[in-house]
């Protein structure tokens, strides 16, 4: 939910199943929460059309669902829902986590089965007040997992979020990484692009692992021609190739707002790196941070990027580890670092010399190495490992 005072978007609690599924439940809940927050912030949006005016009677809905689906009532679920109905968090729309863990020793427990989960999912699909679901230590099988996957419906959740954000004026950053998508048509990316054309407040957007390809990249770039607020775009771990980067190169020529672009773990290769370097060297003077880690780039593309840094003095951070370093690459980045053009804390490589030859070693630096967690030892607030948090021009909007 969006927080006041410049805080990043905080995700709500998630399902106690597999990690991949939990992330999508966050999206489902967030889509409803954002809609409600939008209505409170924007008086022109009718709250009644977005959320129910009073909290639902979950227990009564559960009993009705059991009857409709011809399933027996699970007394443990019924008890939890009755307690939820009495919760102040439900009354004041703060949200509540349903703790239906099968190892509860405080009350009699009838462990949840696949059939029980089917009924529960039917009840919760229209509830925006339930923001967490703990299903640990139950007797669920693959059938139950399918019921949960149907309930989560990643595509619909993302479209709902994109729709809610279209007129939102309060959310500054949102992480939509790793959704469970059931289609290769990129319709979710199209909806996100449509949102970006109209949203004038979003500063940071993460779209990691969205299966974005050429069509999706083109739609996003077209939208960002008109967007004057987004500073940080994360497209890591998608299916972006060298031809797709033509759209990003054109974007960097025309967009003077974007400051951070994460293309980590795509496949832009030398041609893609050259497209980016040309845009950055000749046209863009506001862009600051580029990550092309693990993109199958060899010497030609990497040297082109190093040359762009000599021309574009605003480009201050660059991450290149996981590509194919040749002698020319090692010499080029060694020169950037030794001359002071590229600060050691602003890249993920460090030059060293053996028998007269220069090589590059990896440093634990990056855009978000410790973005969602803190290390068990060492410095917690390591700016070099979380460069995206150190770019003041982005932080001032959060």
């Amino acid at each position: 939910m969006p927080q006041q005072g410049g805080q990043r978007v905080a995700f709500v609690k998630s399902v106690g199943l597999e990690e991949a599924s939990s992330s999508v439940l966050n999206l489902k809940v967030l889509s409803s929460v954002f809609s409600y927050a939008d209505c409170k912030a924007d008086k022109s949006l009718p709250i009644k059309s977005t959320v129910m005016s009073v909290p639902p009677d979950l227990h009564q809905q559960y009993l009705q669902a059991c009857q409709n689906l011809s399933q027996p009532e699970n007394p443990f679920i019924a008890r939890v829902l009755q307690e939820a109905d009495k919760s102040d968090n439900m009354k004041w729309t703060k949200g509540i986590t349903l703790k239906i863990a099968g190892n509860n020793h405080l009350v009699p427990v009838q462990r949840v089965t696949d059939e029980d989960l089917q009924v529960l999912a039917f009840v919760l699909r229209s509830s925006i007040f339930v923001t967490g679901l703990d299903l640990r230590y139950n007797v669920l099988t693959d059938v139950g997992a399918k019921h949960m996957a149907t309930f989560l419906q990643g595509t619909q959740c993302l479209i709902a979020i994109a729709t809610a954000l279209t007129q939102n004026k309060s959310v500054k950053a949102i992480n939509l990484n790793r959704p469970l998508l059931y289609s290769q048509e990129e319709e979710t990316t199209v909806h996100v692009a449509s949102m970006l054309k109209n949203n004038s407040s979003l500063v940071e957007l993460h779209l990691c692992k969205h299966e974005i390809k050429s069509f999706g990249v083109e739609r996003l770039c077209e939208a960002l021609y008109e967007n004057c607020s987004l500073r940080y775009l994360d497209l890591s771990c998608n299916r972006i190739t060298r031809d797709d980067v033509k759209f990003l190169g054109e974007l960097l020529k025309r967009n003077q707002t974007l400051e951070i672009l994460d293309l980590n773990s795509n496949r832009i290769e030398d041609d893609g790196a050259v497209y980016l370097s040309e845009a950055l060297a000749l046209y863009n003077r506001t862009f600051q941070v580029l990550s092309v880690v693990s993109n199958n780039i060899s010497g030609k593309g990497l040297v082109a990027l190093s040359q762009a840094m000599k021309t574009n003095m605003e480009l201050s951070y660059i991450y290149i580890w996981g590509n194919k370093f040749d002698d020319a690459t090692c010499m080029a980045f060694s020169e950037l670092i030794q001359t002071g053009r590229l600060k050691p804390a602003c890249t993920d490589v460090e030059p060293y010399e053996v028998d007269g030859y220069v090589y590059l070693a990896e440093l634990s630096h990056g855009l978000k190495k410790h973005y969602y967690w803190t290390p068990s030892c060492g410095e917690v607030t390591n700016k070099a490992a979380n460069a995206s948090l150190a770019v003041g021009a982005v932080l001032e909007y959060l």
Side-chain angles (χ1 to χ4, degrees):
M1 295 173 61
Q3 301 291 327
Q4 299 298 323
Q7 297 297 316
R8 290 185 181 278
V9 175
F11 274 7
V12 293
K13 297 179 182 177
S14 57
V15 178
L17 289 173
E18 294 298 326
E19 182 180 0
S21 295
S22 67
S23 65
V24 183
L25 180 62
N26 290 339
L27 304 184
K28 179 178 178 66
V29 177
L30 280 171
S31 66
S32 299
V33 174
F34 286 152
S35 298
Y36 179 71
D38 292 346
C39 290
K40 293 200 296 183
D42 188 346
K43 302 300 183 181
S44 66
L45 297 177
I47 293 182
K48 290 184 179 180
S49 66
T50 309
V51 296
M52 290 177 287
S53 59
V54 296
D57 186 340
L58 293 177
H59 179 246
Q60 187 60 41
Q61 290 183 14
Y62 174 69
L63 296 180
Q64 185 63 49
C66 288
Q67 181 177 350
N68 293 342
L69 297 175
S70 301
Q71 294 292 342
E73 175 188 344
N74 183 314
F76 180 38
I77 295 178
R79 177 194 289 266
V80 171
L81 295 181
Q82 282 181 316
E83 293 175 354
D85 288 334
K86 300 175 183 178
S87 170
D88 288 337
N89 285 344
M90 288 283 282
K91 295 177 182 178
W92 297 104
T93 69
K94 295 179 180 178
I96 189 172
T97 296
L98 298 181
K99 298 181 179 180
I100 315 180
N103 63 341
N104 191 325
H105 300 293
L106 301 178
V107 295
V109 171
Q110 178 177 318
R111 292 191 174 184
V112 177
T113 65
D114 296 334
E115 292 74 19
D116 294 330
L117 185 57
Q118 180 184 17
V119 178
L120 183 61
F122 184 85
V123 174
L124 296 181
R125 65 182 183 178
S126 60
S127 173
I128 67 169
F129 299 97
V130 178
T131 56
L133 182 59
D134 187 345
L135 291 170
R136 293 172 295 173
Y137 300 101
N138 283 293
V139 288
L140 301 175
T141 68
D142 289 347
V143 176
K146 290 180 180 179
H147 291 320
M148 185 54 62
T150 302
F151 166 62
L152 296 174
Q153 286 294 330
T155 300
Q156 294 182 13
C157 298
L158 285 172
I159 293 175
I161 291 174
T163 302
L165 287 172
T166 299
Q167 301 298 327
N168 183 278
K169 294 181 175 61
S170 57
V171 176
K172 302 298 183 182
I174 186 169
N175 187 321
L176 301 177
N177 290 348
R178 300 181 62 200
L180 292 179
L181 300 176
Y182 299 93
S183 171
Q184 297 293 321
E185 298 299 323
E186 299 189 83
E187 61 263 42
T188 56
T189 307
V190 172
H191 281 273
V192 171
S194 178
M195 175 271 294
L196 288 172
K197 287 184 177 181
N198 298 283
N199 185 288
S200 60
S201 61
L202 195 65
V203 175
E204 179 175 329
L205 175 62
H206 294 266
L207 298 174
C208 174
K209 296 187 178 180
H210 274 240
E211 301 288 333
I212 297 175
K213 298 180 283 293
S214 181
F215 181 76
V217 173
E218 185 176 8
R219 299 288 83 73
L220 288 173
C221 290
E222 289 175 351
L224 289 174
Y225 293 154
E226 306 174 24
N227 185 289
C228 296
S229 65
L230 195 72
R231 263 70 178 172
Y232 182 179
L233 178 61
D234 177 6
L235 297 178
S236 59
C237 302
N238 281 291
R239 297 189 178 186
I240 300 173
T241 65
R242 59 186 183 182
D243 294 331
D244 308 336
V245 182
K246 291 180 181 179
F247 303 119
L248 291 170
E250 187 62 29
L251 172 65
L252 291 177
K253 292 178 182 180
R254 300 167 58 177
N255 182 297
Q256 300 299 313
T257 303
L258 191 67
E259 297 175 356
I260 303 177
L261 177 61
D262 189 352
L263 292 174
N264 174 23
S265 299
N266 283 284
R267 196 176 180 84
I268 72 171
E269 301 181 304
D270 285 341
D271 289 346
V274 170
Y275 294 142
L276 293 176
S277 64
E278 290 176 351
L280 293 172
L282 301 176
Y283 299 92
N284 192 297
R285 290 296 180 268
T286 58
F287 190 80
Q288 296 187 44
V289 188
L290 175 66
S291 176
V292 289
V293 172
S294 299
N295 265 275
N296 199 39
I297 308 172
S298 61
K300 177 184 176 182
L302 294 170
V303 170
L305 290 172
S306 72
Q307 293 298 318
M309 291 203 71
K310 294 181 179 180
T311 305
N312 187 337
M313 304 308 292
E314 289 298 321
L315 180 58
S316 305
Y317 300 78
I318 188 166
Y319 303 96
I320 62 170
W321 187 258
N323 292 294
K324 301 174 181 178
F325 300 159
D326 59 7
D327 291 341
T329 300
C330 296
M331 290 297 296
F333 279 88
S334 175
E335 179 184 350
L336 288 175
I337 295 172
Q338 290 177 358
T339 59
R341 173 61 189 90
L342 179 59
K343 296 180 180 179
C346 298
T347 186
D348 57 350
V349 294
E350 180 181 41
Y352 66 97
E353 187 173 331
V354 176
D355 296 334
Y357 291 93
V358 176
Y359 300 92
L360 297 177
E362 182 184 13
L363 296 176
S364 185
H365 297 169
L367 284 173
K368 48 182 186 295
K369 288 283 187 179
H370 303 155
Y371 194 82
Y372 305 108
W373 58 281
T374 55
S376 57
C377 60
E379 187 180 0
V380 175
T381 56
N382 186 348
K383 292 183 178 180
N386 301 286
S388 64
L389 302 179
V391 180
V394 170
L395 280 182
E396 69 183 28
Y397 291 92
L398 298 179

